[in-house]
Amino acid sequence: MEKLKVGIIGGGRIGRVHAQSITNLVPSAEIIAIADPFMNEKLESWAKDIGIKETFKDPYDIINHKDIDAVLICSPTSTHTELIQASAKAKKHIFCEKPVDTDLKRIDETMNVVRENDVLFQIGFNRRFDHNHNDVHKAVMNNKVGDVHVIKVTSRDPEPPSAEYVKGSGGIFLDMMIHDFDMVRFLSNSEVKEVYATGAVLVDPEIGKAGDVDTAVVVLTMENGALAVIDNSRQAVYGYDQRTEVFGSKGCAKVENDRKSLIEISTKDSVESEKPLYFFLDRYMDSYATEIIDFINSVQNGAPIKCGIEDAIRPVEIALAASKSLKEHRPVLISEIAISK
Amino acid sequence: MEKLKVGIIGGGRIGRVHAQSITNLVPSAEIIAIADPFMNEKLESWAKDIGIKETFKDPYDIINHKDIDAVLICSPTSTHTELIQASAKAKKHIFCEKPVDTDLKRIDETMNVVRENDVLFQIGFNRRFDHNHNDVHKAVMNNKVGDVHVIKVTSRDPEPPSAEYVKGSGGIFLDMMIHDFDMVRFLSNSEVKEVYATGAVLVDPEIGKAGDVDTAVVVLTMENGALAVIDNSRQAVYGYDQRTEVFGSKGCAKVENDRKSLIEISTKDSVESEKPLYFFLDRYMDSYATEIIDFINSVQNGAPIKCGIEDAIRPVEIALAASKSLKEHRPVLISEIAISK
Amino acid sequence: MEKLKVGIIGGGRIGRVHAQSITNLVPSAEIIAIADPFMNEKLESWAKDIGIKETFKDPYDIINHKDIDAVLICSPTSTHTELIQASAKAKKHIFCEKPVDTDLKRIDETMNVVRENDVLFQIGFNRRFDHNHNDVHKAVMNNKVGDVHVIKVTSRDPEPPSAEYVKGSGGIFLDMMIHDFDMVRFLSNSEVKEVYATGAVLVDPEIGKAGDVDTAVVVLTMENGALAVIDNSRQAVYGYDQRTEVFGSKGCAKVENDRKSLIEISTKDSVESEKPLYFFLDRYMDSYATEIIDFINSVQNGAPIKCGIEDAIRPVEIALAASKSLKEHRPVLISEIAISK
Amino acid sequence: MEKLKVGIIGGGRIGRVHAQSITNLVPSAEIIAIADPFMNEKLESWAKDIGIKETFKDPYDIINHKDIDAVLICSPTSTHTELIQASAKAKKHIFCEKPVDTDLKRIDETMNVVRENDVLFQIGFNRRFDHNHNDVHKAVMNNKVGDVHVIKVTSRDPEPPSAEYVKGSGGIFLDMMIHDFDMVRFLSNSEVKEVYATGAVLVDPEIGKAGDVDTAVVVLTMENGALAVIDNSRQAVYGYDQRTEVFGSKGCAKVENDRKSLIEISTKDSVESEKPLYFFLDRYMDSYATEIIDFINSVQNGAPIKCGIEDAIRPVEIALAASKSLKEHRPVLISEIAISK
């Protein structure tokens, strides 16, 4: 069988993670080219080392490459809609990092171009592929939990971003909690109907000056009647805190944090165990690999896309509703925000 | 030293629990009388067996008893304000089961009578005395958690009440979540400023017909800026689910559920451990004992009351605000509700 | 129904614990007398306070008391055989603290007197009644574990005894590990066939000078073919370490240590939880109560004795075999030691 | 910097695992050749796919290859001594799967050849590099545990080998517990002085007919005075059970089993969590990678070998002493077995 030929747009950290995953773990695919406007000697040497033959500065050298079957778009968010549309028109299958955009209209247009050109599209909500959260999802889908009543997601970063970063981030809901909005949809197998958001500046006053909050608790009412709650903090000093729970008529499924090892040390002072994994790439490495393996499996073998067009749109709607809710201090219906059906 | 003489009003389950605790665990006090309008042979025989000499039908036989130093009011909520006021006027120290009342004005008046008569008053939010939740509180007070940012309380009953009970209960916020409102205050060492409540009927449609919800998620904004979230369900099929968590600038303190034993059985099918304790008296027995031990310690030795007049008022305010929030579908300030300062 | 009348011989810590358990938890029984050669004002006052009417110096005032149905022998080990024999001849049912004696011949004679007089006899291996270990036993009896292959018992004290105490203790196997020998029998539902003991002086050289070891690992071969291992230490600085595990053809059942609370505190330094309960009465309080409740239930209602004559004999045999094994540096068969069948 | 050139002898499962680890995780090294007597098209194609240019049938084509700096010996145990000696004489650095041999004299001779030729030698006790066990080792080395008193290792396979395999395996001590003997040395930072072994045939009578036991409990006395115990079973139906514990004067460090995910599902029947990882490659994959990374780091950067010549000899001595102990039913000193110093 011929290998699937993949091109990567964006040679930053996440682009390189995906390149490594395919090289190491997907013998049926090969990355034949990578493009980055800041292509330099170091990046070229890295590419060569893992067997990528062609390097470009211009993403259109990937998009228009006649040998390439699928592109991974790992460039900054502001470039996503243009590159997705061009790739779709060039009949390439597309994996794109989240989010497609922060403007719903542009997302909607872009998804329409994807649909019209009949290419496969996967959005990079990697946490769906995490061994822990995915097992909670499976417990729900296998009816171990029964009808879903309450979904709880705790998501706290180990270190706050700079106020500078926050300014351009679109705010905590679009930048950080968007993962958790998708997680609630994924775990509950239902869509969000209404959002009520609370927020506070408790970690860093500079984040407040930048117009954002650093601590947020959001309540969601789901279309199937369930209630969900997400709490976010920009700083958990003990590490990356990532826990989910689904409670329902037949029981409750939940996951605690992964740790580097399971050591437990008992002394006269206490019983100590390891902190949660600190860095998101340590915590979610398996999910980054699995999402790409699954994407290539969809392209090559027709397996259904597990995180597709709907998933590119809905979390952004929820995030925008949450921002509006926080600003207007009232519950906001998704239908006030949504432009697509 | 002379023993403290205690009278109990109400010979129901909780009155008998307190009688047993004092008899077994507080050698410096003795219960000399119990009153219950339904006093009968069985109750008299029980009283005799544990050494209570006098039994009455009329609570005023306790209140006006010249030998009695302190009364425990364990009768139905509707009788609390009258009995508290009468006991205070009779200069008895008072322990009263929660809540004092569901009407804030009546609570306020009653607390004023308590203040004017200069007697000690303790309200029965027993969970403050629980070994688990109290250790979280201590971690906060000892600054292990730093500034409090987020408080989370999960509280799910093993079995739903009858719709009949629900009708007279005042609703889930006054009947059930009131414990959790107090818990949030206790754990955060701060008062609630604003409440937003969501609710759903997911457990039993009859509860909905009775005008209540059986599943609720409530977000609280605290006066110190922290955010809190409580989730309640009238039915967790796996048992009584009672977990708390406080997250702050220096870390996170949390407790999981108590179990009957720590057995873990690994088989070819799974690794099984025990479910949470099912019955509230099993789960909270130590807290019922400790609150009474502490009350008697306050009366005899002047130790500060750990759960007093303020704690009788504030949780009711929060519950009323939550009911209003659910009804009006908007965040409600405590200041919209509160009548006392 | 008439209450069972109980007399206690020995007013030390454990005698008082049993008195309290019966007074608080067994309404169908009453302690009417207690005897202690060091009976004094303080002990008399304590007895009066919990409702014991008669106090004696001479144990025979209990044994020959015409109203007493059952005696609890809580006096020093050296007095046990005499008091058991006298009580049996006086037709009293007997609960005796472990061990009956350290001399097998005397134990055998004494048990014969018990048998001849047809009174009930229970020996105080309280750990059989512990909520954790008993659940492991039940898992084995309910065939959750299948055929038993390996039994593991970890038992470490929080603080070493004085060398003075060690001298008169009969050594670590008779004084401390005897509980674990019984536990292995209880958990495996089988008898020990052979013992191999290793020991070391690692905690306190004074214990070595007193002729004993303070650390020991013993391997047992069971009559049903299973293998067992026990490790003891006289000092675990983190508290009282009490864990058991049974592994078999269908799975593995195990229990970890009880803790004061389930709090878990995550900080930038670590995740801390509570140490095991430190004091044996804290750890095993429920088992002391349950064994006495069960004993009285056997006397009053004919329930089978759960820890009887065989259990008084076998652990001593194993302990003596272990001592011999350590001394002779070779595996020792129980049949080399046992004098009874 | 020039890449380290590695040759692999043996294209079986473990040889391919190491090839993959180097290819994926060690950019500073490359595998340039692999030899296997059963070299075939499939293996050649696999080699080509991961970038190995040369394939041979004869291991000497690796050993005598002028470009190769280091060899990984992953062929059957019976070939190890010859290949190690030849590689050493060819001045190649050597990584060899465990054990070097089952004959101490041959091991000793071989290690002398290694020493004389001054090449680096690492033996594949991979579990030393496991994230869990290595953290226990570090806790010991960092003096968190204080003086070591007791070491406990539980090691149970998910499925028993065939009786056919058992016959040629050298028995449970050389085939299976040898890992645990090394683990005890690693965790305690001390050598074994004496061994007492017990064993039973409880899993499969065919294993007994093949002259071996399938369940074993071994007690070790260490040179530093500590006591150790290892229990092995050829079949734990719930998965691969791999736990270690070190207890000492300052505390206790222990690790439980890794699981596929941390999901916990509470239902009306029980609280279920995941079984231990079942397959040894799932459980120990990180350790296989880390040992090879460390080996290459030693060769390239002079880092000390973490598992070297001593570690190739001592566990075999202990295994032989254990076999002798089981056969002769007595404790056996390592000095009765050892031929090297």
Side-chain angles (χ1 to χ4, degrees):
Chain A
M1 193 171 92
E2 184 109 17
K3 287 196 179 194
L4 185 84
K5 303 221 166 19
V6 178
I8 296 180
I9 300 173
R13 183 164 57 186
I14 199 68
R16 295 199 307 274
V17 164
H18 291 319
Q20 206 77 53
S21 296
I22 291 173
T23 306
N24 295 350
L25 305 169
V26 192
S28 69
E30 62 182 324
I31 304 156
I32 64 164
I34 186 163
D36 195 294
F38 302 102
M39 183 58 62
N40 55 22
E41 216 169 292
K42 195 178 156 195
L43 192 53
E44 274 169 357
S45 149
W46 167 87
K48 201 181 151 197
D49 271 0
I50 71 160
I52 303 176
K53 281 169 199 143
E54 297 177 90
T55 57
F56 306 111
K57 292 208 167 185
D58 186 347
Y60 286 91
D61 288 341
I62 298 282
I63 291 170
N64 298 320
H65 198 299
K66 67 176 185 359
D67 293 340
I68 285 177
D69 305 303
V71 297
L72 313 188
I73 302 176
C74 308
S75 50
T77 299
S78 58
T79 68
H80 285 182
T81 52
E82 180 194 328
L83 296 174
I84 292 171
Q85 293 190 30
S87 299
K89 286 170 186 166
K91 303 296 178 192
K92 310 300 192 205
H93 300 298
I94 301 159
F95 173 94
C96 182
E97 281 304 314
K98 52 117 299 225
V100 167
D101 202 280
T102 59
D103 182 284
L104 268 181
K105 197 157 169 297
R106 269 203 304 274
I107 298 175
D108 194 44
E109 282 167 13
T110 304
M111 291 300 100
N112 281 333
V113 174
V114 168
R115 285 188 193 99
E116 284 155 16
N117 285 282
D118 208 24
V119 294
L120 292 174
F121 176 84
Q122 185 173 323
I123 184 82
F125 281 117
N126 62 294
R127 294 183 197 172
R128 287 186 172 225
F129 301 85
D130 173 66
H131 63 140
N132 279 333
H133 307 312
N134 191 32
D135 269 13
V136 176
H137 168 75
K138 280 193 232 163
V140 174
M141 300 309 282
N142 296 338
N143 202 24
K144 295 255 187 175
V145 167
D147 297 335
V148 173
H149 292 183
V150 178
I151 307 107
K152 296 173 74 173
V153 175
T154 293
S155 179
R156 298 168 186 157
D157 280 349
E159 279 178 51
S162 66
E164 205 51 48
Y165 172 88
V166 164
K167 269 177 208 159
S169 72
I172 196 170
F173 301 119
L174 269 161
D175 180 58
M176 179 175 174
M177 203 182 277
I178 194 164
H179 272 292
D180 308 304
F181 293 137
D182 185 60
M183 187 54 70
V184 166
R185 299 171 61 244
F186 176 61
L187 295 180
S188 68
N189 203 30
S190 177
E191 294 296 343
V192 174
K193 190 170 146 197
E194 193 181 77
V195 181
Y196 179 76
T198 59
V201 181
L202 300 170
V203 171
D204 181 359
E206 294 302 315
I207 290 177
K209 286 182 198 154
D212 201 4
V213 295
D214 51 36
T215 305
V217 176
V218 170
V219 186
L220 307 163
T221 308
M222 308 303 291
E223 286 184 357
N224 67 3
L227 303 173
V229 60
I230 300 166
D231 72 282
N232 269 191
S233 170
R234 288 290 198 179
Q235 180 168 40
V237 295
Y238 50 88
Y240 195 31
D241 194 346
Q242 298 283 300
R243 289 173 282 154
T244 54
E245 171 176 335
V246 180
F247 168 75
S249 59
K250 293 173 71 174
C252 186
K254 70 190 188 76
V255 286
E256 293 293 312
N257 286 303
D258 279 346
R259 297 171 282 166
K260 182 169 74 71
S261 86
L262 298 177
I263 195 167
E264 193 182 85
I265 304 180
S266 302
T267 68
K268 70 180 171 49
D269 299 317
S270 72
V271 177
E272 279 190 25
S273 52
E274 284 289 302
K275 293 180 289 177
L277 291 173
Y278 193 85
F279 186 46
F280 79 97
L281 280 180
D282 289 333
R283 172 63 188 81
Y284 281 122
M285 189 47 89
D286 72 333
S287 72
Y288 284 108
T290 308
E291 68 173 357
I292 285 297
I293 292 170
D294 274 28
F295 171 66
I296 288 171
N297 188 33
S298 294
V299 173
Q300 286 193 310
N301 307 316
I305 289 283
K306 288 189 182 154
C307 193
I309 290 173
E310 280 291 297
D311 308 308
I313 299 168
R314 301 295 168 226
V316 176
E317 289 173 357
I318 305 167
L320 294 172
S323 297
K324 191 180 181 72
S325 171
L326 185 67
K327 198 173 158 198
E328 302 185 2
H329 199 48
R330 65 168 182 91
V332 171
L333 286 164
I334 296 300
S335 60
E336 298 181 46
I337 300 292
I339 61 165
S340 70
K341 189 60 220 160
Chain B
M1 190 171 93
E2 184 110 17
K3 286 193 179 193
L4 186 82
K5 302 223 164 20
V6 178
I8 297 180
I9 298 173
R13 183 163 57 187
I14 200 67
R16 294 199 308 275
V17 164
H18 291 320
Q20 207 76 55
S21 296
I22 291 174
T23 305
N24 296 351
L25 305 169
V26 192
S28 69
E30 64 183 322
I31 304 156
I32 65 165
I34 186 162
D36 195 295
F38 302 101
M39 182 58 63
N40 56 22
E41 217 169 291
K42 197 179 155 196
L43 194 52
E44 276 169 356
S45 150
W46 167 87
K48 201 182 150 193
D49 272 2
I50 71 159
I52 302 177
K53 281 168 199 144
E54 297 176 89
T55 58
F56 307 111
K57 292 208 165 182
D58 186 346
Y60 285 91
D61 288 341
I62 300 280
I63 292 171
N64 298 320
H65 199 299
K66 67 180 187 353
D67 293 341
I68 285 178
D69 305 305
V71 297
L72 313 187
I73 301 176
C74 308
S75 49
T77 300
S78 59
T79 68
H80 285 181
T81 53
E82 182 196 328
L83 296 174
I84 292 171
Q85 294 190 26
S87 298
K89 286 170 186 166
K91 304 297 180 191
K92 310 300 191 203
H93 300 298
I94 301 159
F95 174 92
C96 183
E97 281 304 313
K98 54 118 289 222
V100 167
D101 201 283
T102 59
D103 182 283
L104 268 181
K105 196 156 168 296
R106 270 203 304 273
I107 298 176
D108 195 43
E109 281 166 14
T110 303
M111 292 298 103
N112 280 334
V113 175
V114 168
R115 286 188 192 100
E116 284 155 17
N117 284 284
D118 208 24
V119 293
L120 293 174
F121 176 84
Q122 185 173 326
I123 184 82
F125 281 116
N126 63 293
R127 294 184 198 172
R128 287 187 172 223
F129 302 84
D130 173 66
H131 62 141
N132 279 334
H133 307 311
N134 191 33
D135 269 14
V136 175
H137 168 76
K138 279 192 233 163
V140 173
M141 299 309 283
N142 295 338
N143 201 23
K144 295 257 186 170
V145 167
D147 297 333
V148 173
H149 292 183
V150 178
I151 306 107
K152 297 174 75 173
V153 175
T154 293
S155 178
R156 298 168 187 158
D157 279 350
E159 279 177 50
S162 67
E164 206 50 46
Y165 172 89
V166 164
K167 270 177 207 159
S169 73
I172 197 170
F173 301 120
L174 270 161
D175 180 58
M176 181 175 172
M177 204 181 277
I178 193 165
H179 273 292
D180 308 303
F181 294 137
D182 185 60
M183 187 54 70
V184 166
R185 299 171 60 245
F186 177 61
L187 296 180
S188 67
N189 203 29
S190 176
E191 294 295 341
V192 173
K193 188 170 148 196
E194 193 183 75
V195 182
Y196 179 75
T198 59
V201 180
L202 300 170
V203 171
D204 181 359
E206 293 301 314
I207 291 176
K209 287 183 199 156
D212 201 5
V213 295
D214 53 34
T215 305
V217 175
V218 170
V219 186
L220 307 163
T221 308
M222 308 303 291
E223 286 185 356
N224 67 5
L227 305 174
V229 62
I230 300 165
D231 72 284
N232 269 192
S233 170
R234 287 290 196 179
Q235 181 167 39
V237 295
Y238 50 87
Y240 195 32
D241 195 345
Q242 298 283 300
R243 290 172 283 153
T244 55
E245 172 176 335
V246 179
F247 168 75
S249 59
K250 292 174 72 175
C252 187
K254 72 189 186 78
V255 285
E256 293 293 312
N257 286 302
D258 280 346
R259 297 171 282 166
K260 181 171 76 72
S261 86
L262 298 177
I263 193 165
E264 194 183 83
I265 304 181
S266 303
T267 67
K268 68 181 170 48
D269 299 316
S270 71
V271 177
E272 278 191 25
S273 51
E274 284 289 302
K275 292 180 291 179
L277 290 172
Y278 193 86
F279 185 47
F280 79 98
L281 280 180
D282 289 334
R283 173 63 187 83
Y284 281 122
M285 190 49 89
D286 73 331
S287 72
Y288 284 108
T290 309
E291 69 175 355
I292 285 296
I293 292 169
D294 275 28
F295 171 66
I296 288 171
N297 188 34
S298 294
V299 174
Q300 287 194 311
N301 307 316
I305 289 283
K306 287 187 183 156
C307 193
I309 290 172
E310 279 292 296
D311 308 307
I313 298 168
R314 300 294 168 229
V316 177
E317 289 174 358
I318 305 167
L320 294 171
S323 298
K324 192 180 181 73
S325 171
L326 185 66
K327 200 173 158 197
E328 302 184 2
H329 199 48
R330 65 170 182 92
V332 170
L333 287 163
I334 295 300
S335 59
E336 299 181 45
I337 300 290
I339 62 166
S340 70
K341 191 59 221 163
Chain C
M1 190 172 96
E2 185 108 17
K3 288 194 179 193
L4 186 83
K5 301 219 165 22
V6 178
I8 297 180
I9 298 173
R13 184 163 55 186
I14 201 66
R16 294 198 310 271
V17 163
H18 291 319
Q20 206 78 54
S21 297
I22 290 174
T23 305
N24 296 351
L25 304 169
V26 192
S28 69
E30 64 184 323
I31 303 156
I32 66 165
I34 185 163
D36 196 295
F38 302 101
M39 182 59 61
N40 57 22
E41 217 168 292
K42 197 178 155 197
L43 193 53
E44 276 169 355
S45 150
W46 167 87
K48 200 181 150 194
D49 271 2
I50 70 158
I52 302 176
K53 280 168 200 142
E54 297 176 89
T55 57
F56 306 112
K57 293 208 165 183
D58 186 346
Y60 285 91
D61 288 340
I62 299 280
I63 291 170
N64 299 321
H65 199 298
K66 69 179 180 3
D67 294 340
I68 285 177
D69 305 304
V71 299
L72 314 187
I73 301 175
C74 309
S75 49
T77 299
S78 58
T79 68
H80 285 182
T81 51
E82 180 195 329
L83 296 174
I84 292 171
Q85 294 190 28
S87 299
K89 286 170 185 165
K91 304 297 178 191
K92 310 300 190 201
H93 300 300
I94 301 159
F95 173 94
C96 182
E97 281 304 315
K98 53 118 294 226
V100 167
D101 202 280
T102 57
D103 182 283
L104 268 181
K105 196 154 169 298
R106 270 204 303 274
I107 298 176
D108 194 44
E109 282 165 13
T110 303
M111 291 301 101
N112 281 334
V113 175
V114 168
R115 285 188 193 101
E116 284 156 15
N117 285 282
D118 207 23
V119 294
L120 294 174
F121 177 84
Q122 186 173 322
I123 184 84
F125 281 116
N126 62 293
R127 294 183 197 172
R128 287 187 170 222
F129 301 84
D130 173 66
H131 63 141
N132 279 334
H133 307 310
N134 192 31
D135 269 14
V136 175
H137 168 75
K138 280 193 233 164
V140 173
M141 298 310 283
N142 295 337
N143 201 23
K144 295 255 185 173
V145 167
D147 297 335
V148 172
H149 292 182
V150 178
I151 306 107
K152 295 172 76 174
V153 175
T154 294
S155 179
R156 298 167 187 158
D157 280 347
E159 280 177 50
S162 66
E164 205 50 48
Y165 171 89
V166 163
K167 269 176 208 161
S169 71
I172 197 169
F173 302 119
L174 270 162
D175 180 58
M176 179 175 174
M177 203 182 276
I178 193 164
H179 273 292
D180 308 304
F181 293 137
D182 185 60
M183 186 57 68
V184 166
R185 298 172 61 245
F186 177 60
L187 296 180
S188 67
N189 203 29
S190 177
E191 294 296 341
V192 173
K193 190 170 143 193
E194 192 182 78
V195 182
Y196 179 75
T198 59
V201 180
L202 301 170
V203 171
D204 181 0
E206 293 301 316
I207 291 176
K209 287 182 198 156
D212 201 4
V213 295
D214 51 36
T215 306
V217 175
V218 170
V219 187
L220 307 163
T221 308
M222 309 302 291
E223 284 185 358
N224 67 4
L227 304 174
V229 62
I230 300 166
D231 72 285
N232 269 192
S233 170
R234 288 289 197 179
Q235 180 167 42
V237 295
Y238 50 88
Y240 194 32
D241 194 345
Q242 297 285 300
R243 291 173 281 153
T244 54
E245 172 176 335
V246 180
F247 168 76
S249 59
K250 293 175 71 174
C252 186
K254 71 189 187 76
V255 286
E256 294 292 312
N257 286 303
D258 280 345
R259 296 171 283 165
K260 182 170 75 73
S261 86
L262 299 177
I263 195 166
E264 193 183 85
I265 303 180
S266 302
T267 67
K268 68 179 170 50
D269 299 317
S270 72
V271 177
E272 277 190 27
S273 52
E274 284 288 303
K275 293 179 291 179
L277 290 173
Y278 193 86
F279 185 47
F280 79 98
L281 280 180
D282 289 334
R283 173 62 188 83
Y284 281 121
M285 188 48 88
D286 73 332
S287 72
Y288 284 108
T290 307
E291 70 174 354
I292 284 296
I293 292 170
D294 274 28
F295 170 65
I296 289 173
N297 188 34
S298 294
V299 174
Q300 286 193 311
N301 307 314
I305 289 283
K306 289 187 182 154
C307 193
I309 290 173
E310 280 291 296
D311 308 307
I313 299 168
R314 300 294 168 228
V316 176
E317 290 173 357
I318 306 167
L320 293 172
S323 298
K324 191 179 182 74
S325 171
L326 185 66
K327 199 173 158 197
E328 302 184 2
H329 199 48
R330 65 167 181 95
V332 171
L333 286 163
I334 296 300
S335 59
E336 300 180 45
I337 300 291
I339 60 165
S340 69
K341 189 61 218 159
Chain D
M1 189 171 93
E2 183 109 19
K3 287 194 180 195
L4 186 82
K5 303 223 166 16
V6 178
I8 296 180
I9 298 173
R13 183 162 59 187
I14 202 64
R16 296 199 306 275
V17 163
H18 291 319
Q20 207 77 53
S21 296
I22 290 173
T23 305
N24 296 351
L25 304 168
V26 193
S28 68
E30 62 183 324
I31 304 157
I32 66 164
I34 186 163
D36 195 294
F38 303 100
M39 183 59 62
N40 57 21
E41 217 169 289
K42 198 178 153 197
L43 193 53
E44 274 169 357
S45 151
W46 167 86
K48 200 181 151 195
D49 271 1
I50 70 160
I52 302 177
K53 279 168 201 145
E54 297 176 89
T55 56
F56 307 110
K57 292 207 167 186
D58 185 346
Y60 285 90
D61 287 340
I62 299 281
I63 292 170
N64 298 321
H65 198 298
K66 69 178 184 357
D67 292 339
I68 286 177
D69 305 304
V71 297
L72 313 188
I73 301 175
C74 309
S75 50
T77 299
S78 58
T79 67
H80 286 181
T81 51
E82 180 196 329
L83 296 174
I84 292 170
Q85 293 189 29
S87 299
K89 286 170 185 165
K91 304 295 179 193
K92 309 301 190 203
H93 300 297
I94 301 160
F95 172 94
C96 182
E97 281 304 314
K98 54 117 290 224
V100 167
D101 201 282
T102 57
D103 182 285
L104 268 181
K105 195 154 170 297
R106 270 203 303 274
I107 297 175
D108 194 44
E109 281 167 14
T110 303
M111 291 301 101
N112 281 333
V113 174
V114 168
R115 285 189 194 99
E116 284 155 17
N117 284 282
D118 206 24
V119 293
L120 293 175
F121 176 84
Q122 185 173 325
I123 184 84
F125 282 116
N126 62 293
R127 294 184 197 171
R128 288 187 171 224
F129 300 84
D130 173 65
H131 61 141
N132 280 333
H133 308 311
N134 191 32
D135 268 14
V136 175
H137 168 75
K138 279 192 232 163
V140 173
M141 299 308 283
N142 296 337
N143 201 24
K144 294 255 186 173
V145 167
D147 297 334
V148 173
H149 293 182
V150 179
I151 306 107
K152 295 173 75 173
V153 175
T154 293
S155 179
R156 298 168 187 159
D157 279 349
E159 279 177 51
S162 66
E164 206 48 49
Y165 172 88
V166 164
K167 269 176 210 161
S169 72
I172 196 168
F173 301 119
L174 270 162
D175 180 58
M176 179 174 174
M177 202 181 277
I178 194 165
H179 274 291
D180 308 304
F181 293 136
D182 185 60
M183 186 56 68
V184 165
R185 299 171 61 244
F186 177 59
L187 296 180
S188 66
N189 202 30
S190 176
E191 293 295 344
V192 173
K193 189 170 144 197
E194 191 183 78
V195 182
Y196 178 75
T198 59
V201 181
L202 300 171
V203 171
D204 181 359
E206 293 302 314
I207 291 177
K209 287 182 200 157
D212 201 4
V213 294
D214 52 36
T215 305
V217 175
V218 170
V219 187
L220 307 163
T221 306
M222 308 303 292
E223 285 185 356
N224 67 4
L227 304 174
V229 62
I230 300 166
D231 72 284
N232 269 193
S233 171
R234 287 289 195 179
Q235 178 167 42
V237 294
Y238 49 89
Y240 194 32
D241 195 346
Q242 296 286 300
R243 290 172 282 153
T244 54
E245 171 176 335
V246 180
F247 168 76
S249 59
K250 292 173 72 175
C252 186
K254 71 191 187 76
V255 287
E256 294 293 314
N257 286 303
D258 280 345
R259 297 171 283 166
K260 181 171 76 72
S261 86
L262 298 178
I263 195 166
E264 192 183 86
I265 303 180
S266 303
T267 67
K268 69 180 170 49
D269 299 317
S270 71
V271 176
E272 277 190 26
S273 51
E274 285 289 304
K275 292 179 291 179
L277 291 172
Y278 194 86
F279 186 48
F280 79 97
L281 280 180
D282 289 334
R283 173 62 188 84
Y284 281 121
M285 190 48 90
D286 72 331
S287 73
Y288 284 109
T290 308
E291 69 174 355
I292 284 297
I293 292 170
D294 274 29
F295 171 65
I296 289 172
N297 188 33
S298 293
V299 174
Q300 286 193 310
N301 306 315
I305 289 282
K306 288 189 183 153
C307 193
I309 289 173
E310 280 291 297
D311 308 307
I313 299 167
R314 299 296 168 226
V316 176
E317 289 173 356
I318 306 167
L320 293 172
S323 298
K324 191 181 182 72
S325 170
L326 185 67
K327 198 172 160 198
E328 302 184 2
H329 199 49
R330 66 169 182 94
V332 170
L333 286 163
I334 296 300
S335 59
E336 300 181 44
I337 301 291
I339 60 165
S340 71
K341 192 56 222 167

